[in-house]
Amino acid sequence: MRNKYILAILLIFTILFLPSCTKQIPISQNRVVASISSDIESTNPLFAFDIDEGTISELLYLSLVQHGWDFNTGSMTTQPMLAKSWEWNKDSTSITLYLRDDVKWSDGQSVTAKDVIFSFDVYSDPLVQSKLYGSFKHFYTDTSMHVDLKKTFDVINPYKLTINFKKSSPASFYDIDFPIIPQHIYKNVSRKDFVTAEKEIKPVTDGPFELAQWNKSQSIILSANTKSFLYNSDNIEELIFKIVPNYYSQLTQLKRGEIDFMQDIRADDYPLLRGQNNLKLTSLKGREYDYVGWNNLDPEIYKQTKRIVPNKLFGSTVVRTALTYAINRAEILHEFLDNHGEVAFGPVAPIFSSAIDTSLKPLPYSPGKAKQLLASAGWKENKNTGLLEKNGREFSFTLDIPSGNPRREFAATVIQNNLREIGIKINIEKLEPEIFFQKMFARELNAWMAGWSVSIPPDLKQFWYSKLEDAPLNVASYQSKAADKVLEEIESTRSEKFKDELYKKFQEIIYKDNPVTFLYWINNLMAYNKRIKNFQLTPLGPYHRCWDWSVR
Amino acid sequence: MVKEKSAGWNGISKLLLKRVLASLVVLFLMITFLFFLLRIAPGDPSQKFVSPDLSPRLAAMVRQSFDLNSSLLDQYKTFILNLSKGNFGISYTYQVPVIEVIGQFLPFTIIFSLICFVIQISCGFVLAKFVVKNINGPRDKIISKASLMVYAMPSFVIGVALILIFSVWLNIFPSSGLSSFDFSSYNFFQKIFDYVRHMVLPVITLSFGGIAVYYKYLRDNLEEVYNKSFVENLRAHGFEEKVITRKHVIPNAVSPLIAVAGVELGLLFGGALITEVIFALPGMGRLTVNAILSRDYPLVLGCTFVSGVLIIITNLAADLLKAKMDKRIVKGILN
């Protein structure tokens, strides 16, 4: 009897487990598998708030134009997409677009001017709360920033329309560069409930890929849209985004060939991947930088009265400059990032080569110079404690960093040691990221370390404009009339050449004022399977024109 | 005899009613406490709408649509009113009703937990029975030491080690996920095999610790019962060892374990975060932690409520099982 039970159990286990012991089928199909660390929340471009959502929605829905990258000038170029050609009027306040007549939605309906107008309408509707809400600054809008459709659009025929911008506005292609959504699918959806109602609707798309499957928390499978004018039967049939939350699991799967592409690889794992014959490693110049924030205003007074009073420690340009001299940025870059990046001296990324002021060089690490500057600002060393003092006040403060970021934890320790050398005592406090960012945006922190990823083209006003209500990201509360003037000029200028000059002028101002200490630009380290061909690496992201990828 | 039986069932139904009422009160208090705790704690659900790419006006509008600008008491009233209709609200992250989100993650967690639970109990039992006749002998010493080692080992170490051995070196099992990309094109049996292939490593990872726990409990209980005088008495009366073990020792040794098993199963239903993260599985643990990190208040409350209900149900089931085995327990609990 007992033997019978054992036999039965063995049989069940054999039936279940034996087939599972076969080797995994190697990825030989015409597909590429990329890893992402968390699931997306929406494939709809209206609500594509994070990077992966943006990438996926842009592969599903076509925009009017697409951008390319000119490595010579370090700027974007504009190429046709849904619009096959265009004409700007003389003063660049209106553009006539000629749409392709061979683009169909996945349900067979044609993509026409109606869809374009509807998209502008929905994206700018305050009830919808899309990711572009409030961005239509160069358009005729009502007081709630909703685009005025009558004033803005002239439809000549289903495939030709004119978009009129505000008379004085410096409109550009960036104002019309977003995915278009189908009017016939969403026209009856209540605007107030759009965000929830659209989840019930099966995506109807017109991009180079279609949504084949979305297995929640597992994978998003896109299949090539064989009806698209971008389709080429030699290229990949499927692009799969596999959700792997654990970084080390991603690395393991990359080595095993379970995934073909991974980005944001840590510098210390990079040498280990070099020995992998199946992988090609690449380092993309980054748009992301780390900085030490010095609150230029007194956080306590600002919190209570909203008055801008210079910070007792960091309100002085001389002190901030001294602190920049005192931090060994090259050491952090070398030790932690294995030199996959470059020391920063301002907020304009090195990728914008025509806008970068090459005459400026990062301040060198010089504790002597730092001490000298601090002495000129009245900070003298107390022989007993070894710390700097001014009017009986010790130079000590708390440096807040978000927890769970090894790079910032390492950098904070280096900074702590560097500043201790010149007589400044800092206490490092790790805050849970949500709490950290809430305090940072409320301008409650005194000194902190964080990072920014800059947009293309660079949008500096949000970060550095003195009027804090208009610059929610000016968390250091930097105040400069000279910088404000340049920022206003950048905003109202059409000429790209003149803009570049203004960017350079702005960098000079920032270089002198050191509102924060810019640490380093971080390269995006990536690895992809050698079987992927036509992989184009530009600052526009690794998936730029990924429909042209093929596999060996 | 009939009278006694009906009195027993009456006791159990009384017990059931009493426990359900008490559980409802506990759930209500727990949800209320959590509601206020979440809102008092630092953090802002509209934080993700503050970014260089988004208009500053958007975050303000989102706050309003999340009803975060009204007073705490008003928010609580709305929450309770909605809850009374079985509505936890809309998840801030997923923008669909909370129940719908949980519905996508809960079935996996329940199946995964039950499989692990059964494996833990049965392996623990088999091992305990294997050593019990040879207490302090070499097999007992080896298994006890090994179980202690396994119990002390964090699940992420076990998970990573299993991936290294079975996925990287031997290339037998996939290292993550619940199914293959081509799953939808498989037939029924292939689908089952595919699930099994993906679940082997996570199930082993999550079961290891539990096996050690149940083994230790059962081993000690069995040893204790074997040493009791009534077992000696039975032996003296000439009962067969097999009969003594099956009819007398095992029921007495298993009974105290039921309460522990009830709690353990409830905890498993709450999600196994580490295992879910390592193997990229769509479970309640990952869902809850992500909801907490993104300050998705309705989803945190929904997940907590569901976990609470499951823990209560499993404990209640354990009590009922114990009561069924020993009617004195009903009296004890009722008193």
Side-chain angles (χ1 to χ4, degrees), chain A residues 31 218 253 256 432 438 462, chain B residues 43 52 171 176 178 182 295:
Chain A
R31 62 165 57 140
Q218 294 289 296
Q253 295 189 22
R256 284 193 69 205
E432 194 257 347
Q438 191 190 20
Q462 285 198 74
Chain B
N171 199 12
S176 82
L178 184 58
D182 298 316
R295 303 294 191 269

Side-chain angles (χ1 to χ4, degrees), chain A residues 362-379:
Chain A
L363 296 181
Y365 169 57
S366 172
K369 180 80 179 164
K371 270 186 170 178
Q372 193 188 328
L373 284 173
L374 287 167
S376 73
W379 291 95

Side-chain angles (χ1 to χ4, degrees), chain A residues 114-397:
Chain A
K114 270 185 189 172
D115 297 308
V116 176
I117 298 171
F118 177 75
S119 299
F120 278 85
D121 179 19
V122 177
Y123 272 104
S124 64
D125 192 330
L127 293 174
V128 175
Q129 296 177 4
S130 85
K131 72 165 187 175
L132 292 183
Y133 173 70
S135 309
F136 295 85
K137 285 182 282 186
H138 301 147
F139 289 76
Y140 292 106
T141 58
D142 62 16
T143 48
S144 68
M145 296 291 284
H146 193 174
V147 170
D148 183 330
L149 302 182
K150 272 190 182 167
K151 275 188 181 174
T152 305
F153 298 99
D154 295 322
V155 179
I156 295 114
N157 68 46
Y159 301 105
K160 184 180 173 189
L161 79 159
T162 300
I163 301 174
N164 305 306
F165 298 97
K166 271 197 291 199
K167 280 295 163 220
S168 55
S169 68
S172 71
F173 283 113
Y174 303 123
D175 292 301
I176 57 167
D177 174 25
F178 54 82
I180 299 302
I181 58 167
Q183 185 233 22
H184 65 285
I185 297 296
Y186 296 110
K187 66 181 175 189
N188 295 327
V189 175
S190 146
R191 297 289 171 92
K192 199 165 175 282
D193 304 322
F194 208 99
V195 66
T196 47
E198 70 93 14
K199 304 267 176 191
E200 308 292 325
I201 299 169
K202 191 175 173 265
V204 170
T205 60
D206 63 346
F209 287 94
E210 290 175 325
L211 181 66
Q213 274 181 58
W214 182 0
N215 307 309
K216 293 276 177 186
S217 292
Q218 294 289 296
S219 59
I220 299 127
I221 303 179
L222 307 185
S223 61
N225 176 4
T226 52
K227 288 172 191 148
S228 169
F229 65 95
L230 297 165
Y231 177 71
N232 179 341
S233 58
D234 293 336
N235 296 343
I236 54 167
E237 290 296 329
E238 276 184 334
L239 175 59
I240 299 174
F241 293 89
K242 187 176 184 187
I243 299 144
V244 187
N246 184 272
Y247 170 80
Y248 292 104
S249 300
Q250 286 191 23
L251 270 185
T252 307
Q253 295 189 22
L254 181 72
K255 286 183 199 164
R256 284 193 69 205
E258 276 185 62
I259 56 174
D260 294 307
F261 170 63
M262 178 180 172
Q263 49 181 330
D264 296 318
I265 296 168
R266 293 176 195 159
D268 50 345
D269 294 318
Y270 213 53
L272 298 174
L273 294 175
R274 284 211 178 97
Q276 293 290 126
N277 290 329
N278 60 331
L279 297 177
K280 190 167 168 55
L281 309 186
T282 182
S283 170
L284 178 65
K285 265 194 172 188
R287 286 193 279 139
E288 186 191 347
Y289 69 87
D290 273 357
Y291 70 94
V292 182
W294 314 116
N295 201 337
N296 291 203
L297 57 76
D298 189 311
E300 282 304 313
I301 298 175
Y302 182 76
K303 193 179 175 185
Q304 283 158 17
T305 64
K306 295 281 165 206
R307 270 193 317 123
I308 293 174
V309 175
N311 190 296
K312 289 183 186 76
L313 291 176
F314 312 117
S316 146
T317 307
V318 178
V319 171
R320 294 195 302 262
T321 308
L323 291 169
T324 304
Y325 270 115
I327 296 171
N328 194 344
R329 296 173 288 175
E331 187 194 350
I332 306 169
L333 189 65
H334 177 70
E335 293 295 325
F336 198 88
L337 291 168
D338 200 17
N339 289 326
H340 288 294
E342 57 188 283
V343 175
F345 58 81
V348 178
I351 54 161
F352 304 112
S353 48
S354 57
I356 205 95
D357 190 339
T358 47
S359 68
L360 302 175
K361 298 283 173 242
L363 296 181
Y365 169 57
S366 172
K369 180 80 179 164
K371 270 186 170 178
Q372 193 188 328
L373 284 173
L374 287 167
S376 73
W379 291 95
K380 305 276 184 248
E381 189 182 324
N382 180 327
K383 298 285 176 202
N384 297 326
T385 60
L387 295 177
L388 296 179
E389 279 185 10
K390 185 180 174 182
N391 304 329
R393 188 204 157 121
E394 227 171 46
F395 203 140
S396 63
F397 60 90

